[in-house]
Amino acid sequence: LSLGEAKNLPTYPGPNKMRDCYCTVNLDQEEVFRTKIVEKSLCPFYGEDFYCEIPRTFRHLSFYIFDRDVFRRDSIIGKVAIQKEDLQKYHNRDTWFQLQHVDADSEVQGKVHLELRLSEVITDTGVVCHKLATRVLECQGLPIVNGQCDPYATVTLAGPSRQTKVKKKTNNPHFDEVFYFEVTRPSSYNKKSHFDIEDVDEVDKMEIRVDLWNASNLKFGDEFLGELRLPLKFLRQSSSYEAWYFLQPRDNGNKSLKPDDLGSLRLNVVYTEDHVFSSDYYSPLRDVLLKSADVEPVSASAAHILGEVCREKQEAAIPLVRLFLHYGRIVPFISAIANAEVKRTQDPNTIFRGNSLTSKCIDETMKLAGMHYLQVTLKPIIDEICQVHKPCEIDPVKLKDGENLENNRENLRQYVDRIFTVITKSGVSCPTVMCDIFFSLRESAAKRFQGDLDVRYTAVSSFIFLRFFAPAILSPNLFQLTPHHPDPQTSRTLTLISKTIQTLGSLSKSKSASFKESYMATFYDYFNEQKYADAVKNFLDLISSSGRRDHKSIEQPILLKEGFMIKRAQGRKRFGMKNFKKRWFRLTNHEFTYQKSKGDHPLCSIPIENILAVERLEEESFKMKNMFQVIQPERRVLYIQANNCVEAKDWIDILTKVSQCNKKRLTVYHPSAYLNGHWLCCKATADNTPGCTPCTGGLPANIQLDIDGDRETERIYSLFNLYMPKLEKMQEACGSKSVYDGPEEEEYSTFIIDDPKETYKTLRLIIEGVGTLEQEHAQYKRDKFKKTKYGSQEHPIGDKSFQTYIRQQSEISAHSI
């Protein structure tokens, strides 16, 4: 997601009219991300990106804009809610969305399981009357309101309502309560509290209503969670009916405000959903892809062809790099495509400057393999720049009142010097895979341009400085160095540092002349000394040498993740909510600790080798969502609650990854807690009983990369399938080139085809592999369609995406549901 900006927000009723706003991203009503607060603006610019794996099903992706007021109470201005099935409409397009009003009646999530039974009863006098039994079995996925949910249901049929018991502290309540209604009655019966509908045909006009409520202790009354209205006429065909239903909002007819009263929000959403088969399905396509490095010429390889047909090279680079990294083939592949690109380059000054497949693949590799390298190298000093706010503006036109140009220059010079030093001294920490790639770039460039002695450096610096360190300094949030886009003053400081570092690393001959702004050229004179050029060359020599280094010798702990979560006290006998405390958690590749607040002394430290398993905890244990457990020796367990489902998944994944190679890892665990003398899951009474459920796991031990090769192959298949017309056009071009050697035909000139015969062979294999997978997907959909029941727990009635799916399948299939 890219959260751009909001505009034309309604003015604040106070004298200054401005607002301090932030935006949240929610799956249904669960917040999974929050931007920084933009102060004093009615058109706040956020410029923040958020990427997440979605760990659960959802109906709406929602964005709320909040106003933080003087009393630190936050009020909602409006929201944008996009239904899951509509996400494809806005896929990868900047779109302005009107903000909508938010009220409890429109905020609905969750589903309810109902059973209805209409029966005829013959009275003593022989008169037939109808009785309706409504059984409310359970609900799932109700919202958590102010940290908890105490739901109950009311059931109404054209008269007084009946009510279930309140279920405390759960958003998945099991009611299993039955209510009986007399629908028609003998005319002699005249008890006023019952219904007086005599005509059986009237049944068709009636409806049963189920409302879900959150029992609240507040004086404002209970909160509405959603409703369901069902006409009884469908019970005429079948006297009993059982199904799951999505809860629906209540229509209050509250349309008093025009939709454009609240302003709008600019978003760009990229949503992908792949169905991944088991590994053997992908063998033919995967084999063709993984052989790419060995194909001569490399332009005839499957991976290169993918880069040729995709609209954006980046689209192809992301899954290709992940696939080759997963199978340990990234270095030969990048060496092959880089070598081919160098051979096509005429001028050494333009080497690797375009947005080619090579440069996109190297960018992606550095982002994946070099993330921790950046954390170790740049994070401490970038944190300091963001916190201290030293003035560093050196443009005389932009100086603020009271600022001194010389002081600002000195502040900036110190920052540049420190960052330059940490980068040029970090060669030993550079990941091996990056060094191996830089070695091959250097060799290719030196061989191609033997007369230019600097090209062996510029080939490497054009990546490590221009496309790795400089962008990370410029936008630290995109490289996970800061949680948010920096504020404008810090952003300006980082821009000036990034420009200077980029120029220092580029080793261009006339440095000062490379700046458009005269104030930058003046500032750069500080660095026009030979020692800086020498330091860059020494650093580039080190990271592009082919000798392997032992990375175990770098014993500086790497910070992997940190943040506030709630933990349950360990080993105490007291139970209840007071046992849960908010703590600052910190994970490095050495230990997992928590402390009262950030920067405090740790209250508890768990060495990584003592983490025997990390697993989810069933919600019923403490009636709390998003909980997981860290199991230690002697069955000691730390129970932790994350802020939301995305955070919980991130913590579980990274803790599992970092502890994957521990020798004493458990194979079984208890999915629930040990409370009141027994394990809630298996009812065993001894607290040292071995677990009752197999541990999940099997994640790679390499902290940097969690890649699923099959999933990446599925992504590549989807891209080939999407661009099939271009693949066919490329096949035509191969035929055309091999028989027609005159000037290249205009319509085929967009493709690089060095060897038409080899390229044609590969294209045939790709098209066959894609066709086979396409048939498998179609068969899977048909089978799923046959087995799927509308109204089941997976596809409740009211699931619009499923209704669309039914329509599509009905058109291509003779089966009906």
Side-chain angles (χ1 to χ4, degrees):
L1 306 170
S2 292
L3 290 133
E5 60 199 298
K7 66 178 182 189
N8 305 331
L9 298 179
T11 55
Y12 188 69
N16 68 2
K17 300 194 179 328
M18 292 291 135
R19 293 182 182 269
D20 300 341
C21 296
Y22 63 90
C23 183
T24 68
V25 178
N26 296 48
L27 290 176
D28 295 324
Q29 284 165 263
E30 182 182 13
E31 183 184 315
V32 294
F33 178 70
R34 177 180 291 212
T35 66
K36 64 179 182 296
I37 296 172
V38 176
E39 296 182 338
K40 300 184 179 56
S41 173
L42 295 178
C43 296
F45 177 78
Y46 297 108
E48 293 193 38
D49 293 330
F50 174 61
Y51 168 83
C52 80
E53 294 283 318
I54 296 177
R56 62 174 179 81
T57 54
F58 67 101
R59 286 164 71 183
H60 291 93
L61 179 66
S62 304
F63 303 83
Y64 292 79
I65 293 202
F66 285 87
D67 181 20
R68 165 67 59 91
D69 74 9
V70 242
F71 305 109
R72 290 282 183 250
R73 282 201 309 270
D74 302 348
S75 54
I76 295 181
I77 295 174
K79 74 166 181 181
V80 170
I82 308 171
Q83 288 187 342
K84 183 182 175 182
E85 54 272 20
D86 291 339
L87 284 169
Q88 283 304 326
K89 282 188 209 166
Y90 308 108
H91 182 77
N92 206 6
R93 296 209 313 258
D94 265 18
T95 311
W96 283 97
F97 292 91
Q98 289 289 344
L99 287 170
Q100 305 296 325
H101 287 277
V102 177
D103 59 55
D105 293 338
S106 66
E107 293 286 283
V108 165
Q109 68 178 65
K111 52 193 175 185
V112 59
H113 189 187
L114 283 188
E115 186 182 352
L116 301 175
R117 195 179 295 275
L118 189 63
S119 50
E120 291 185 347
V121 180
I122 302 175
T123 63
D124 297 342
T125 56
V127 179
V128 176
C129 65
H130 290 79
K131 274 192 164 48
L132 174 72
T134 304
R135 185 177 173 207
V136 184
L137 288 118
E138 60 181 311
C139 295
Q140 279 190 349
L142 298 177
I144 299 284
V145 183
N146 299 326
Q148 67 181 62
C149 189
D150 299 335
Y152 68 89
T154 62
V155 184
T156 315
L157 177 79
S161 66
R162 321 283 172 86
Q163 180 178 325
T164 63
K165 293 188 181 75
V166 172
K167 298 290 179 184
K168 289 282 187 183
K169 298 189 176 68
T170 175
N171 66 336
N172 298 323
H174 285 262
F175 296 113
D176 204 359
E177 294 185 41
V178 185
F179 303 99
Y180 293 96
F181 297 92
E182 279 192 22
V183 182
T184 62
R185 60 166 185 76
S187 51
S188 58
Y189 197 75
N190 62 0
K191 202 170 173 191
K192 289 295 179 210
S193 63
H194 285 252
F195 309 108
D196 53 358
I197 298 163
E198 291 169 28
D199 185 355
V200 178
D201 293 337
E202 289 293 312
V203 174
D204 289 358
K205 297 176 187 164
M206 296 170 74
E207 66 175 14
I208 188 98
R209 199 176 87 219
V210 180
D211 292 271
L212 262 292
W213 299 86
N214 182 31
S216 166
N217 302 324
L218 303 171
K219 58 178 182 288
F220 307 119
D222 296 348
E223 287 154 296
F224 173 76
L225 299 179
E227 72 167 20
L228 187 61
R229 292 167 177 260
L230 294 173
L232 291 193
K233 64 180 171 199
F234 70 87
L235 286 172
R236 305 288 280 167
Q237 282 81 42
S238 154
S239 60
S240 81
Y241 194 81
E242 181 198 340
W244 283 85
Y245 295 87
F246 271 140
L247 288 167
Q248 300 299 335
R250 185 164 52 185
D251 182 15
N252 272 1
N254 184 8
K255 305 281 188 286
S256 55
L257 283 150
K258 294 203 294 291
D260 57 358
D261 288 349
L262 299 176
S264 49
L265 179 64
R266 181 165 63 88
L267 301 168
N268 189 325
V269 180
V270 176
Y271 175 71
T272 52
E273 191 177 294
D274 292 321
H275 174 81
V276 184
F277 289 118
S278 56
S279 247
D280 47 326
Y281 283 83
Y282 296 107
S283 297
L285 185 60
R286 184 174 54 231
D287 293 348
V288 174
L289 287 160
L290 290 176
K291 284 185 189 135
S292 293
D294 309 320
V295 173
E296 284 285 338
V298 75
S299 62
S301 70
H304 195 280
I305 287 169
L306 182 67
E308 287 296 288
V309 295
C310 280
R311 199 164 50 107
E312 303 279 341
K313 299 281 189 228
Q314 179 85 354
E315 247 183 329
I318 293 173
L320 283 174
V321 164
R322 297 173 77 93
L323 182 74
F324 285 116
L325 271 168
H326 182 69
Y327 287 101
R329 301 281 296 148
I330 193 70
V331 177
F333 170 63
I334 286 182
S335 301
I337 56 172
N339 203 18
E341 186 174 327
V342 170
K343 282 179 182 164
R344 283 196 294 270
T345 305
Q346 300 306 315
D347 178 356
N349 293 317
T350 63
I351 197 163
F352 300 127
R353 287 300 167 93
N355 279 330
S356 61
L357 184 64
T358 310
S359 54
K360 288 297 180 191
C361 283
I362 297 175
D363 285 355
E364 198 55 34
T365 307
M366 292 192 300
K367 239 184 176 178
L368 284 168
M371 204 54 93
H372 298 300
Y373 176 35
L374 281 178
Q375 298 274 335
V376 176
T377 314
L378 292 181
K379 189 168 168 50
I381 188 162
I382 284 185
D383 282 347
E384 185 189 317
I385 293 168
C386 291
Q387 284 156 17
V388 177
H389 288 296
K390 276 188 188 170
C392 295
E393 183 53 74
I394 56 168
D395 180 355
V397 180
K398 291 184 179 171
L399 274 190
K400 289 183 186 161
D401 291 345
E403 282 184 1
N404 178 299
L405 188 61
E406 278 313 307
N407 289 351
N408 288 11
R409 269 198 197 128
E410 180 56 23
N411 289 340
L412 186 62
R413 190 190 66 75
Q414 285 179 9
Y415 278 147
V416 170
D417 239 339
R418 283 172 61 194
I419 285 185
F420 179 80
T421 306
V422 296
I423 289 174
T424 50
K425 286 205 163 39
S426 72
V428 73
S429 312
C430 186
T432 313
V433 69
M434 285 168 63
C435 296
D436 291 347
I437 288 169
F438 295 150
F439 173 69
S440 76
L441 297 182
R442 175 190 177 119
E443 295 294 289
S444 286
K447 201 167 156 189
R448 170 84 170 88
F449 299 105
Q450 289 172 8
D452 189 325
L453 294 177
D454 274 342
V455 77
R456 67 190 59 209
Y457 293 115
T458 51
V460 177
S461 71
S462 64
F463 286 104
I464 194 79
F465 279 102
L466 270 67
R467 304 175 85 113
F468 185 63
F469 283 121
I473 296 164
L474 184 67
S475 307
N477 55 310
L478 298 184
F479 292 81
Q480 294 168 25
L481 295 172
T482 58
H484 299 296
H485 201 74
D487 62 80
Q489 185 188 325
T490 308
S491 204
R492 174 70 178 154
T493 301
L494 293 172
T495 303
L496 295 169
I497 297 170
S498 177
K499 276 184 174 183
T500 316
I501 291 291
Q502 188 172 322
T503 311
L504 274 167
S506 69
L507 292 168
S508 56
K509 308 288 186 292
S510 52
K511 293 293 179 71
S512 302
S514 64
F515 289 108
K516 292 194 282 286
E517 310 93 339
S518 57
Y519 63 84
M520 280 304 293
T522 311
F523 173 68
Y524 196 82
D525 288 341
Y526 286 127
F527 303 98
N528 241 337
E529 293 179 42
Q530 191 56 38
K531 67 173 184 179
Y532 289 103
D534 292 344
V536 169
K537 284 186 175 177
N538 289 339
F539 169 66
L540 295 173
D541 279 334
L542 180 58
I543 63 169
S544 59
S545 62
S546 60
R548 293 281 197 278
R549 292 176 306 286
D550 179 17
H551 291 290
K552 294 277 191 310
S553 60
I554 311 153
E555 267 308 295
Q556 187 178 359
I558 298 171
L559 176 66
L560 301 174
K561 191 167 174 64
E562 59 181 346
F564 274 115
M565 290 191 287
I566 291 166
K567 63 124 202 130
R568 181 175 182 267
Q570 295 183 86
R572 294 183 188 169
K573 294 290 178 236
R574 290 198 321 274
F575 293 104
M577 280 306 289
K578 57 180 175 290
N579 249 1
F580 288 88
K581 294 200 166 64
K582 193 174 185 178
R583 293 287 181 256
W584 181 263
F585 283 81
R586 201 165 183 277
L587 174 67
T588 69
N589 55 344
H590 292 187
E591 61 179 358
F592 182 47
T593 59
Y594 62 77
Q595 50 229 55
K596 256 193 172 165
S597 301
K598 190 176 181 177
D600 288 358
H601 187 72
L603 299 169
C604 168
S605 167
I606 304 171
I608 294 301
E609 57 271 20
N610 280 358
I611 298 178
L612 307 186
V614 185
E615 297 288 347
R616 293 188 180 281
L617 185 71
E618 284 179 357
E619 207 172 297
E620 291 307 305
S621 299
F622 300 108
K623 307 281 192 197
M624 291 164 74
K625 286 186 78 159
N626 304 321
M627 286 200 77
F628 63 94
Q629 48 184 323
V630 179
I631 306 167
Q632 303 158 65
E634 279 127 37
R635 303 269 165 203
R636 287 195 67 197
V637 185
L638 175 61
Y639 295 119
I640 303 171
Q641 183 187 32
N643 299 319
N644 57 57
C645 59
V646 171
E647 276 285 290
K649 183 183 186 300
D650 285 353
W651 275 106
I652 292 168
D653 283 356
I654 199 159
L655 280 161
T656 304
K657 264 179 264 181
V658 79
S659 61
Q660 190 70 42
C661 291
N662 291 349
K663 292 188 175 61
K664 294 182 180 170
R665 272 190 73 82
L666 297 177
T667 53
V668 288
Y669 77 107
H670 289 286
S672 286
Y674 182 79
L675 290 175
N676 305 329
H678 68 276
W679 290 100
L680 298 181
C681 39
C682 59
K683 305 296 182 265
T685 51
D687 64 349
N688 60 353
T689 309
C692 56
T693 305
C695 283
T696 55
L699 284 157
N702 183 345
I703 301 162
Q704 297 164 343
L705 306 171
D706 173 17
I707 293 171
D708 178 340
D710 300 329
R711 182 175 171 175
E712 301 309 327
T713 316
E714 169 63 31
R715 192 92 288 274
I716 292 169
Y717 149 75
S718 297
L719 289 168
F720 274 139
N721 205 16
L722 179 67
Y723 294 112
M724 186 54 76
K726 280 198 179 177
L727 287 172
E728 288 162 352
K729 193 99 173 164
M730 206 169 176
Q731 261 191 328
E732 277 177 36
C734 290
S736 161
K737 277 186 77 102
S738 41
V739 296
Y740 172 79
D741 282 332
E744 206 169 309
E745 285 191 27
E746 199 58 40
E747 59 177 322
Y748 302 136
S749 61
T750 51
F751 304 118
I752 292 174
I753 300 172
D754 297 320
D755 182 332
K757 200 173 168 188
E758 274 302 310
T759 309
Y760 188 87
K761 264 197 237 169
T762 310
L763 281 162
R764 207 179 66 239
L765 290 171
I766 292 170
I767 291 168
E768 275 172 22
V770 169
T772 309
L773 276 169
E774 195 175 6
Q775 284 170 2
E776 293 293 354
H777 276 288
Q779 186 59 48
Y780 167 79
K781 281 180 179 169
R782 283 196 294 272
D783 293 348
K784 187 181 171 199
F785 182 69
K786 283 183 207 171
K787 290 175 196 159
T788 303
K789 181 178 170 230
Y790 192 37
S792 63
Q793 194 170 349
E794 295 74 36
H795 297 288
I797 292 171
D799 180 350
K800 289 188 181 164
S801 58
F802 185 66
Q803 288 168 319
T804 311
Y805 174 69
I806 288 175
R807 268 202 310 278
Q808 289 167 350
Q809 292 302 312
S810 301
E811 287 160 15
I812 56 171
S813 158
H815 306 291
S816 63
I817 203 145

Short mmCIF file of all heavy atoms in Angstrom, two decimals, residues 90 343 353 390 493 584 721 762 792:
data_model
loop_
_atom_site.label_atom_id
_atom_site.label_comp_id
_atom_site.label_asym_id
_atom_site.label_seq_id
_atom_site.Cartn_x
_atom_site.Cartn_y
_atom_site.Cartn_z
N TYR A 90 -8.59 -1.42 -8.51
CA TYR A 90 -7.69 -0.29 -8.23
C TYR A 90 -6.23 -0.73 -8.22
O TYR A 90 -5.35 0.01 -7.82
CB TYR A 90 -8.04 0.32 -6.86
CG TYR A 90 -9.50 0.66 -6.73
CD1 TYR A 90 -10.35 -0.09 -5.91
CD2 TYR A 90 -10.05 1.71 -7.46
CE1 TYR A 90 -11.70 0.21 -5.81
CE2 TYR A 90 -11.40 2.01 -7.37
CZ TYR A 90 -12.22 1.26 -6.54
OH TYR A 90 -13.55 1.56 -6.45
N LYS A 343 28.42 -6.08 -22.72
CA LYS A 343 28.84 -6.23 -24.13
C LYS A 343 28.05 -5.29 -25.04
O LYS A 343 28.55 -4.84 -26.07
CB LYS A 343 28.62 -7.68 -24.58
CG LYS A 343 29.71 -8.62 -24.09
CD LYS A 343 29.45 -10.04 -24.54
CE LYS A 343 30.52 -10.99 -24.00
NZ LYS A 343 30.10 -12.39 -24.10
N ARG A 353 23.57 2.22 -16.07
CA ARG A 353 22.81 3.41 -15.65
C ARG A 353 21.33 3.29 -16.01
O ARG A 353 20.50 4.02 -15.52
CB ARG A 353 23.40 4.68 -16.30
CG ARG A 353 24.73 5.10 -15.67
CD ARG A 353 24.55 5.40 -14.19
NE ARG A 353 25.83 5.52 -13.48
CZ ARG A 353 26.47 6.66 -13.27
NH1 ARG A 353 25.97 7.78 -13.74
NH2 ARG A 353 27.58 6.67 -12.59
N LYS A 390 19.25 18.57 14.25
CA LYS A 390 20.21 19.66 14.08
C LYS A 390 19.90 20.38 12.77
O LYS A 390 19.65 19.73 11.75
CB LYS A 390 21.64 19.11 13.99
CG LYS A 390 22.30 18.85 15.32
CD LYS A 390 23.76 18.50 15.08
CE LYS A 390 24.43 18.05 16.37
NZ LYS A 390 25.76 17.48 16.10
N THR A 493 17.54 17.25 5.48
CA THR A 493 18.91 16.92 5.92
C THR A 493 19.37 15.64 5.23
O THR A 493 20.48 15.57 4.70
CB THR A 493 18.94 16.73 7.45
OG1 THR A 493 18.51 17.94 8.06
CG2 THR A 493 20.33 16.38 7.95
N TRP A 584 8.40 -3.35 26.34
CA TRP A 584 9.13 -3.09 25.10
C TRP A 584 9.98 -4.33 24.80
O TRP A 584 10.88 -4.67 25.54
CB TRP A 584 10.02 -1.86 25.24
CG TRP A 584 10.78 -1.53 23.99
CD1 TRP A 584 12.06 -1.87 23.68
CD2 TRP A 584 10.29 -0.80 22.86
NE1 TRP A 584 12.39 -1.40 22.43
CE2 TRP A 584 11.33 -0.74 21.91
CE3 TRP A 584 9.07 -0.18 22.55
CZ2 TRP A 584 11.20 -0.10 20.69
CZ3 TRP A 584 8.94 0.46 21.33
CH2 TRP A 584 9.99 0.50 20.41
N ASN A 721 1.45 -15.91 -18.11
CA ASN A 721 0.07 -16.09 -18.55
C ASN A 721 -0.56 -14.75 -18.95
O ASN A 721 -1.24 -14.62 -19.95
CB ASN A 721 -0.73 -16.75 -17.43
CG ASN A 721 -1.93 -17.50 -17.96
OD1 ASN A 721 -2.03 -17.79 -19.15
ND2 ASN A 721 -2.87 -17.81 -17.10
N THR A 762 13.20 -22.02 -26.37
CA THR A 762 12.83 -21.68 -24.97
C THR A 762 11.37 -21.24 -24.90
O THR A 762 10.64 -21.65 -24.00
CB THR A 762 13.74 -20.55 -24.43
OG1 THR A 762 15.09 -20.89 -24.67
CG2 THR A 762 13.53 -20.34 -22.94
N SER A 792 -21.68 -22.23 3.75
CA SER A 792 -20.76 -22.95 4.64
C SER A 792 -19.95 -21.92 5.43
O SER A 792 -20.00 -20.72 5.16
CB SER A 792 -19.81 -23.82 3.82
OG SER A 792 -19.01 -22.99 2.99
#
